Amino acid sequence: MKYNPSDKIQDLQYFGEFGGVNPSISDSSTYTFLSAKTMFDTFEGNAEGCYLYSRHSSPSNLYLGEALAAMEATEAATVTASGMGAITPVILQLCDAGDHMISSRTIYGGTYAFMKNFLPKLNIATSFVNITKLEEVEAAITPKTKVIFCETVSNPLLEIANLPALAKLAKKYNLQLVVDNTFSPLSITPKELGADITIHSLTKFINGSSDTVGGVICGSLEFINQLRNVNDGACMLLGATMDSFRSASILKNLRTLHIRMHKHSENAMYLAEKFQELGLKTVYPGLENHPGHKIFKQMMNDEYGFGGMLTIDVGSLEKANTLMELMQEKNLGYLAVSLGFYKTLFSAPGTSTSSEIPEEEQAEMGLSEGLIRFSIGLDNHIDRTFERMKECMQEVGIL
Ligand code: PLP
């Protein structure tokens, strides 16, 4: 039987200090010791069950990490203050000065900017490739390559990475396959498909309430311990620690992720089919004409669907902006970046979340001006939403 991530989360049981149905929140940055020797041992990481200082670890962060490791089928996980706070230490832990990495060219703009503009300061080079072309990925590998990085479903173009094939390539050349699974929680379990490290921005679907930023790194216990090492661990030393109150609230929201993902996917599939019927240029991995549809289907845990993200191309930035403003006015969603909220969110990535990518490179990768990225919400009657969206499109002259 295929790995079932939400069953694994459900099987974990935690109680609060006084028998509460939710674990107690550790509202402390530092912890006392009865013996100085135990304090020393804890600092060295040799006193199981003891806490020293909340940047190192806290009970709340460990509970959330454990649940996310169960979800991603990895031995361990560590939570971080944001998605970027997860991506950056992983790369810095895996690559030394002089090393090289390969990344999909269609990734979140912040990740792209980190690789393109920041890593060269540390003499770490990145080759950006079309991740759907395996021969291009293989050709970019050099003796200095350490990492292949991709998003399972890419932001914003929704390209699908063939994770089993990339994992095979990574194994062949002894590289680490690092996968950002932010757009496809539950639907895809990268570790089960051969990935070494799985990352999420918890800010998105996993938390689902657009009230906090957060991130997680899921991997082997050995790697997670390396990240947390007091002497040379990138998570420990760069310090992007999640606050315990936030971990506690994200853990509560994680309990409903399977229901939410199911609904996000169902609503997105409905709209994608309807948009396509209207003749709009629609991209959604659930559509049979999506180039990555087959591979997504082979990789997916069926019951959670193809996810909540879709794009349409309305031809020009002006039309995209007018449509988004009108849809917001009609209360069909918010003109906002980010994703995974109960309400539909839409933005034009070329001028927002991918604006770090230079215009000529945007054009080369097919990121056109008129592209609108939708994170489809949990609307109870998506047919009613569709009719209203259609009216907006007619009013703007797109239909
Ligand atoms: N990865 C993906 C795919 C994203 O879309 C984002 C943010 O939009 C991030 C990572 C960064 O996450 P955060 O904003 O939580 O730092």
Side-chain angles (χ1 to χ4, degrees):
M1 209 179 117
K2 251 191 163 174
Y3 195 82
N4 194 313
S6 64
D7 288 355
K8 297 290 174 187
I9 299 171
Q10 201 177 302
D11 288 346
L12 290 171
Q13 203 181 37
Y14 311 113
F15 295 106
E17 203 179 347
F18 304 104
V21 294
N22 290 304
S24 306
I25 301 173
S26 48
D27 187 22
S28 295
S29 59
T30 189
Y31 300 80
T32 59
F33 289 84
L34 290 176
S35 110
K37 164 87 171 65
T38 319
M39 179 187 265
F40 177 74
D41 289 345
T42 307
F43 193 78
E44 294 285 300
N46 299 326
E48 188 70 30
C50 290
Y51 297 93
L52 179 91
Y53 184 60
S54 287
R55 176 160 48 75
H56 297 200
S57 70
S58 72
S60 301
N61 287 6
L62 290 188
Y63 287 133
L64 179 61
E66 198 182 338
L68 291 165
M71 178 179 109
E72 287 299 0
T74 58
E75 282 177 358
T78 192
V79 294
T80 55
S82 69
M84 288 308 291
I87 292 166
T88 54
V90 165
I91 294 169
L92 295 175
Q93 196 74 38
L94 295 174
C95 296
D96 293 330
D99 284 342
H100 169 255
M101 61 178 288
I102 294 169
S103 170
S104 166
R105 60 184 185 171
T106 76
I107 48 171
Y108 166 59
T111 313
Y112 177 89
F114 176 69
M115 292 171 183
K116 178 111 197 268
N117 307 326
F118 199 98
L119 287 179
K121 292 203 276 189
L122 307 172
N123 193 21
I124 298 169
T126 308
S127 297
F128 294 97
V129 298
N130 180 340
I131 206 76
T132 65
K133 297 215 156 75
L134 290 168
E135 62 288 357
E136 202 178 303
V137 180
E138 188 162 16
I141 298 172
T142 76
K144 303 211 161 178
T145 310
K146 291 283 163 64
V147 170
I148 300 177
F149 181 95
C150 66
E151 293 170 357
T152 314
V153 179
S154 79
N155 181 0
L157 294 180
L158 312 182
E159 286 178 348
I160 308 302
N162 184 340
L163 297 182
L166 289 166
K168 219 166 135 192
L169 209 55
K171 289 231 155 38
K172 183 171 162 194
Y173 291 93
N174 198 23
L175 312 175
Q176 293 286 297
L177 178 61
V178 179
V179 178
D180 180 338
N181 201 31
T182 300
F183 276 26
S184 44
L186 300 182
S187 297
I188 309 272
T189 312
K191 172 71 174 62
E192 288 289 287
L193 303 164
D196 298 292
I197 296 158
T198 306
I199 295 175
H200 284 275
S201 164
L202 300 177
T203 316
K204 314 292 159 45
F205 290 103
I206 291 181
N207 184 51
S209 51
S210 291
D211 55 2
T212 185
V213 287
V216 68
I217 303 156
C218 306
S220 68
L221 183 59
E222 189 189 352
F223 182 66
I224 299 300
N225 282 340
Q226 276 173 24
L227 287 168
R228 289 179 180 156
N229 189 294
V230 289
N231 295 304
D232 60 4
C235 280
M236 178 67 73
L237 299 176
L238 296 172
T241 309
M242 178 173 279
D243 179 74
S244 290
F245 277 92
R246 285 311 191 182
S247 325
S249 72
I250 295 171
L251 181 62
K252 282 179 271 187
N253 290 348
L254 183 66
R255 300 295 181 195
T256 58
L257 181 64
H258 57 298
I259 304 168
R260 290 185 281 114
M261 284 318 295
H262 186 82
K263 191 67 178 165
H264 283 299
S265 294
E266 187 180 84
N267 283 353
M269 187 74 198
Y270 180 90
L271 286 181
E273 281 176 342
K274 289 286 182 189
F275 288 162
Q276 196 163 52
E277 272 169 37
L278 291 178
L280 292 166
K281 218 167 139 192
T282 310
V283 174
Y284 181 64
L287 293 174
E288 277 180 23
N289 63 1
H290 186 293
H293 176 72
K294 258 203 196 128
I295 181 66
F296 195 116
K297 247 185 132 167
Q298 281 163 22
M299 298 194 297
M300 79 193 290
N301 304 313
D302 294 335
E303 63 196 281
Y304 311 103
F306 292 90
M309 303 301 294
L310 67 84
T311 67
I312 59 172
D313 190 340
V314 298
S316 72
L317 181 59
E318 201 191 330
K319 276 189 183 162
N321 288 343
T322 318
L323 176 64
M324 290 190 294
E325 285 165 12
L326 186 61
M327 286 194 297
Q328 174 161 261
E329 201 184 303
K330 304 276 182 196
N331 199 15
L332 295 170
Y334 297 139
L335 173 46
V337 298
S338 203
L339 39 131
F341 199 32
Y342 80 91
K343 189 98 175 171
T344 293
L345 303 179
F346 32 77
S347 56
T351 49
S352 58
T353 50
S354 298
S355 58
E356 295 91 339
I357 303 173
E359 267 173 37
E360 23 354 308
E361 287 176 41
Q362 289 191 23
E364 205 183 304
M365 64 177 71
L367 207 174
S368 49
E369 278 202 333
L371 195 80
I372 303 179
R373 185 189 76 178
F374 287 78
S375 163
I376 305 300
L378 301 171
D379 306 28
N380 194 26
H381 289 115
I382 197 68
D383 47 346
R384 170 172 168 263
T385 306
F386 168 69
E387 288 306 327
R388 293 183 178 177
M389 283 182 172
K390 192 169 131 187
E391 281 166 25
C392 293
M393 289 169 183
Q394 280 161 342
E395 197 173 322
V396 173
I398 289 162
L399 295 179

